[in-house]
Amino acid sequence: MTTRPCPDWYARPQLGIFIHWGIFTIPAWAPRGRAIHELIGDDYDRSAVLTPYSEWYDNAVRVEGSPTQVRHKGIYGDKPFTDFRPEFDAASEAFNADAWADFFVECGATYVVFVTKHHDGYCLWPTDVPNPRRPGWNTGRDFTGELADAVRARGLRFGLYYSGGLDWTFRDTPIANIGDMFACVPTEEDYRAYALAQAKELIDRYRPSVFWNDICWPDVDGVIALHECYYAAVPDGVTNDRWLAATDFFKSLRDPASRASFNAMLKARTAGGMQEETPAPFGDFRCVEFGLGVIPKQQKWESCRGLGLGFGYNTDELPEDFLDAQGLIDLYTDVTAKRGNLLINIGPRADGSIPDLQSVPLRALGAHLRR
């Protein structure tokens, strides 16, 4: 576990804004009504299929008989996820980094974490690192750079999210549960080289104050090299704790019997919502997502969640799925009283507009913080 002290700027309890935005905002759908920590506790085997995370659309649509697949076929027929790209590229022309940054200031945020590449592999910056499996799977416009400049111009810190553990352009085996997920981590040499090169490019180009990796990393050598590069470039930068780099473990779960044994063990341990505090070998802070994870007794931590039950924009969510103004204020008060930062997510529409169900409570929180 890292012994590096958490930098002072991040150690102070505060508000951050998480942003999930991408091609998944075109179909913009996931099953609603059940939070992820509840699904893992009482419907483990299908937790990744029934997740309310619309950013997982490209996976759920490939799971035979899933609600997402049934709905997709009824509306879109056999249209592949990749065919949503032109619609997103057209809608995203309306993106306005300054409008977002002004809104974040109004919310009372001190830092922003932008999703640069989610599990679908689509990069929201004009990367110079070519994807060997799907060439050109990135934007021509530099959304990441535009937002970095806008938030920094207003005195906020800029961070970025990168999906290091999953990239469905490299390995797209359908995921129904946690065992399936770890079995789907690309451990091939071309992905290890690609992910590390992109991470270094993001660090060199944008100097993020937060490098927020998701799921895990395919190999420990890459984790070490990435952290060395990051801390050299951004001495007061911070990373989260999602750096499990158990290559042999990931490979072993591709065997059906091994995966079934792992799933049975984890299913028993998580039944009824039981959770454990486990040490993280890397990272400056612990991440607790939608209440999934034990708050550490000593280490700095961050609570991340959406205002609704997911992160990406979901047209099926209802008002009762969202935190209202008082609920958000109460959550912020509780998290910060326990030494945590609240990284609250917005899921904008494809055109960059932020739904009222998200913007109204955030503006109320900002007014509360100013008072």
Side-chain angles (χ1 to χ4, degrees):
M1 185 173 180
T2 181
T3 57
R4 177 178 183 263
C6 184
D8 290 343
W9 77 265
Y10 187 83
R12 173 177 58 83
Q14 61 199 286
L15 177 70
I17 299 290
F18 214 0
I19 309 164
H20 279 65
W21 185 62
I23 291 175
F24 47 81
T25 58
I26 297 300
W29 193 86
R32 59 160 294 275
R34 298 174 72 190
I36 186 65
H37 61 281
E38 295 173 355
L39 285 168
I40 290 175
D42 59 32
D43 205 342
Y44 175 91
D45 293 331
R46 301 186 301 158
S47 53
V49 180
L50 302 177
T51 176
Y53 292 4
S54 67
E55 62 275 13
W56 278 67
Y57 190 95
D58 187 28
N59 172 72
V61 77
R62 288 182 277 106
V63 177
E64 196 62 37
S66 71
T68 304
Q69 185 184 77
V70 171
R71 181 180 182 275
H72 181 92
K73 286 184 176 181
I75 298 174
Y76 305 109
D78 295 327
K79 181 176 183 173
F81 181 81
T82 51
D83 283 5
F84 289 122
R85 175 184 176 173
E87 297 171 66
F88 175 73
D89 287 348
S92 64
E93 291 179 4
F95 169 80
N96 186 324
D98 288 319
W100 277 11
D102 287 339
F103 173 65
F104 303 152
V105 171
E106 188 178 357
C107 298
T110 56
Y111 67 102
V112 174
V113 178
F114 180 60
V115 171
T116 63
K117 185 199 82 166
H118 208 268
H119 310 330
D120 59 17
Y122 191 60
C123 301
L124 297 181
W125 81 99
T127 179
D128 292 329
V129 181
N131 185 324
R133 306 293 182 96
R134 192 177 292 173
W137 193 237
N138 59 268
T139 59
R141 184 174 172 182
D142 190 3
F143 295 112
T144 303
E146 289 182 35
L147 187 59
D149 290 344
V151 300
R152 284 170 172 154
R154 289 155 178 81
L156 280 62
R157 286 184 179 257
F158 177 75
L160 58 82
Y161 161 113
Y162 184 82
S163 175
L166 293 177
D167 188 320
W168 297 323
T169 69
F170 283 81
R171 181 173 287 274
D172 64 354
T173 308
I175 299 169
N177 49 55
I178 296 174
D180 291 349
M181 180 184 75
F182 283 130
C184 195
V185 176
T187 55
E188 293 78 9
E189 184 177 350
D190 63 343
Y191 179 69
R192 296 199 305 269
Y194 172 77
L196 182 58
Q198 281 205 325
K200 288 182 174 180
E201 178 184 62
L202 288 166
I203 292 166
D204 291 342
R205 193 178 294 185
Y206 305 113
R207 294 293 198 271
S209 292
V210 182
F211 194 106
W212 211 103
N213 183 60
D214 204 5
I215 308 296
C216 57
W217 198 265
D219 66 305
V220 71
D221 289 343
V223 174
I224 293 170
L226 190 158
H227 278 78
E228 289 177 348
C229 171
Y230 179 54
Y231 292 142
V234 190
D236 67 344
V238 293
T239 69
N240 63 342
D241 60 339
R242 297 185 177 184
W243 299 101
L244 175 66
T247 307
D248 291 341
F249 168 67
F250 303 147
K251 291 180 177 179
S252 73
L253 290 183
R254 293 172 196 161
D255 171 66
S258 296
R259 189 165 65 254
S261 177
F262 170 81
N263 277 330
M265 177 273 295
L266 197 58
K267 183 177 180 179
R269 286 170 58 177
T270 57
M274 185 179 71
Q275 301 187 52
E276 304 171 17
E277 182 179 353
T278 55
F282 297 93
D284 300 293
F285 63 91
R286 297 300 303 270
C287 174
V288 176
E289 179 175 325
F290 273 99
L292 191 62
V294 176
I295 297 173
K297 295 180 178 64
Q298 296 182 354
Q299 189 179 13
K300 178 64 181 182
W301 68 288
E302 177 185 78
S303 171
C304 82
R305 60 157 295 164
L307 286 147
L309 296 178
F311 291 93
Y313 176 55
N314 183 358
T315 56
D316 206 43
E317 284 192 305
L318 300 175
E320 55 262 38
D321 296 325
F322 286 82
L323 291 170
D324 61 12
Q326 191 58 53
L328 179 58
I329 291 169
D330 291 345
L331 175 65
Y332 175 83
T333 301
D334 179 60
V335 168
T336 54
K338 297 173 180 173
R339 303 177 294 101
N341 291 356
L342 176 60
L343 183 65
I344 195 73
N345 180 79
I346 60 167
R349 302 181 183 93
D351 64 1
S353 60
I354 302 169
D356 288 346
L357 283 170
Q358 300 175 41
S359 63
V360 170
L362 276 165
R363 286 194 169 98
L365 175 58
H368 170 78
L369 294 176
R370 286 190 295 275
R371 288 195 299 269

